[in-house]
Amino acid sequence: MEKELVNLTRFTLEEQRKHPEATGDFTLILQQIGFAAKIISKEVNKAGLVRILGKTDTFNYHGEQQQKLDVYANEILINSLEYTGKICGMASEEVDDIIPIPSIYSKGKYLVVFDPIDGSSNIDVNISIGTIFGIYKRKSSASGNITQKDFLNRGKDIVAAGYIIYGSSTMFVYTTGNGVNGFTLDPSVGEFLLSHPNLRIPEYGNIYSVNEANSPYWDDKINQYIDFLKKYSERKYTLRYIGSLVSDFHRNLLKGGVFLYPADINRPNGKLRLVYEVNPMAFIMRQVGGMATDGKQDILEILPESLHQTTPLIMGSEFEVKKYLEFVNN
Ligand code: P6P
């Protein structure tokens, strides 16, 4: 008999059954994110054929001109989640303020944060891009309206995190804190099927991912670290950098290695966004046995002070991240 096909719906339900106290709220949110991912995947895969390529005339909080697909994906995620009655608010890279739930819908106890299309500058050149999401439980009393403060949680308080990578295949990778599993979309049936159970990152790799064009602006200890990797006798390191965090993360997760977007003179607080990009990815990285730091502390321990704040990020296999910390903290 063909090996049992486990789709995302079945997997999330089976995960839920392992927790008697689970109410199913969570499962529905994850399934709806999976639904949104399928819709976005369809558009991504025909971006060249319909008028979804190219830039809009609007800019996000970071002053980045929004791609049409950014805006489209943002709307799909909001529409797929806001009606569920399981969520009390959302935050998105593409929206300056928090996203309340319309009064016509009931509210739940979860907060969802996301970067709807990560790596959007790669859309027009047909390079893989992704969606990043994180789910938190609301801490403030359920009576009042949510505020930005509700979203300023440490990454370690995440209850679920995941990403979708729109590449040679579309994959949904997520964790609820009990390991990380990957699902590959079978477009012929429109289902995410379990393809990468219990993902773990190798303890070391031979890949470093960084935009070396920034090296003249780094602290010199970072340049010394990169030189070390280049000259490391036991392994020949190679540079792989796609410019989509999700794509660089996913390759390094499967093969081992380190991703860096450190601080530099132009960006003393780094470029990547803590709340809805870095925290979910750092949570996943911890779950697969890797590490994520800003160069001083564990990413998951940082208490965000604002919704769109950025952070330096070094994450990946234990060997390469620990070696980085040795170089920059001596
Ligand atoms: P740079 C994409 O714009 C992004 O936010 C991440 O996905 C990616 O890792 C990084 O920025 C690339 O930045 O400055 O190297 O183009």
Side-chain angles (χ1 to χ4, degrees), residues 98-112:
I98 57 174
I99 304 161
I101 301 299
S103 53
I104 57 170
Y105 299 128
S106 57
K107 296 171 186 56
K109 59 190 174 201
Y110 292 104
L111 299 160
V112 184

Side-chain angles (χ1 to χ4, degrees), residues 67-111:
Q67 301 276 351
K68 290 177 185 172
L69 201 55
D70 282 333
V71 174
Y72 177 80
N74 189 57
E75 285 164 9
I76 291 293
L77 278 161
I78 293 170
N79 295 341
S80 301
L81 290 166
E82 65 181 356
Y83 82 92
T84 58
K86 309 302 179 189
I87 293 169
C88 51
M90 294 178 251
S92 166
E93 178 184 84
E94 301 307 327
V95 180
D96 289 0
D97 202 349
I98 57 174
I99 304 161
I101 301 299
S103 53
I104 57 170
Y105 299 128
S106 57
K107 296 171 186 56
K109 59 190 174 201
Y110 292 104
L111 299 160

Side-chain angles (χ1 to χ4, degrees), residues 28 37 53 64 81 95 97 141 178 183 214 233 238 294 314 316 321-322:
L28 176 58
L53 278 176
E64 297 163 337
L81 290 166
V95 180
D97 202 349
S141 69
N178 305 300
F183 301 77
N214 297 328
S233 56
T238 187
D294 64 354
I314 297 85
V321 175
K322 281 185 174 174

Side-chain angles (χ1 to χ4, degrees), residues 118-119 211 241 243-245 259 261 271-273 277:
D118 167 67
N211 186 340
Y241 191 73
S244 288
L245 175 60
F259 172 93
Y261 209 109
K271 173 184 182 184
L272 301 178
R273 294 75 171 184
E277 276 182 328

Side-chain angles (χ1 to χ4, degrees), residues 10-250:
R10 172 175 174 177
F11 191 90
T12 49
L13 281 172
E14 286 176 348
E15 280 292 290
Q16 175 190 320
R17 288 182 191 134
K18 290 176 190 168
H19 304 279
E21 75 286 356
T23 61
D25 292 6
F26 210 43
T27 303
L28 176 58
I29 295 171
L30 287 166
Q31 289 171 353
Q32 281 304 102
I33 294 173
F35 169 72
K38 293 178 203 174
I39 306 287
I40 295 167
S41 175
K42 187 167 68 71
E43 292 308 315
V44 167
N45 291 331
K46 63 179 185 183
L49 301 174
V50 296
R51 292 161 309 292
I52 203 137
L53 278 176
K55 298 179 169 49
T56 65
D57 53 6
T58 56
F59 294 79
N60 68 14
Y61 174 87
H62 303 273
E64 297 163 337
Q65 189 165 17
Q66 292 178 305
Q67 301 276 351
K68 290 177 185 172
L69 201 55
D70 282 333
V71 174
Y72 177 80
N74 189 57
E75 285 164 9
I76 291 293
L77 278 161
I78 293 170
N79 295 341
S80 301
L81 290 166
E82 65 181 356
Y83 82 92
T84 58
K86 309 302 179 189
I87 293 169
C88 51
M90 294 178 251
S92 166
E93 178 184 84
E94 301 307 327
V95 180
D96 289 0
D97 202 349
I98 57 174
I99 304 161
I101 301 299
S103 53
I104 57 170
Y105 299 128
S106 57
K107 296 171 186 56
K109 59 190 174 201
Y110 292 104
L111 299 160
V112 184
V113 300
F114 47 81
D115 179 1
I117 294 289
D118 167 67
S120 48
S121 56
N122 286 321
I123 295 170
D124 292 2
V125 293
N126 209 3
I127 288 175
S128 62
I129 53 181
T131 295
I132 302 171
F133 68 89
I135 305 175
Y136 294 87
K137 209 175 264 183
R138 180 179 185 175
K139 287 180 180 167
S140 61
S141 69
S143 54
N145 290 333
I146 55 160
T147 66
Q148 277 210 15
K149 197 169 179 323
D150 285 300
F151 291 86
L152 305 184
N153 304 299
R154 289 185 174 84
K156 67 181 182 181
D157 293 334
I158 278 182
V159 292
Y163 60 85
I164 297 93
I165 178 167
Y166 310 101
S168 48
S169 64
T170 293
M171 276 193 71
F172 186 106
V173 178
Y174 87 98
T175 179
T176 59
N178 305 300
V180 179
N181 293 280
F183 301 77
T184 300
L185 181 64
D186 178 341
S188 67
V189 294
E191 286 288 353
F192 280 109
L193 301 177
L194 182 62
S195 54
H196 296 69
N198 302 313
L199 283 164
R200 302 289 293 173
I201 189 169
E203 282 178 42
Y204 57 81
N206 72 333
I207 293 171
Y208 69 99
S209 309
V210 71
N211 186 340
E212 277 204 85
N214 297 328
S215 62
Y217 316 111
W218 293 336
D219 179 297
D220 203 44
K221 290 180 176 178
I222 300 175
N223 280 303
Q224 289 165 19
Y225 168 73
I226 297 295
D227 278 350
F228 162 80
L229 293 183
K230 288 177 178 175
K231 296 167 187 163
Y232 186 56
S233 56
E234 289 189 31
R235 275 190 303 283
K236 175 94 180 70
Y237 279 80
T238 187
L239 170 60
R240 289 287 180 272
Y241 191 73
I242 298 172
S244 288
L245 175 60
V246 170
S247 308
D248 284 315
F249 180 100
H250 187 71

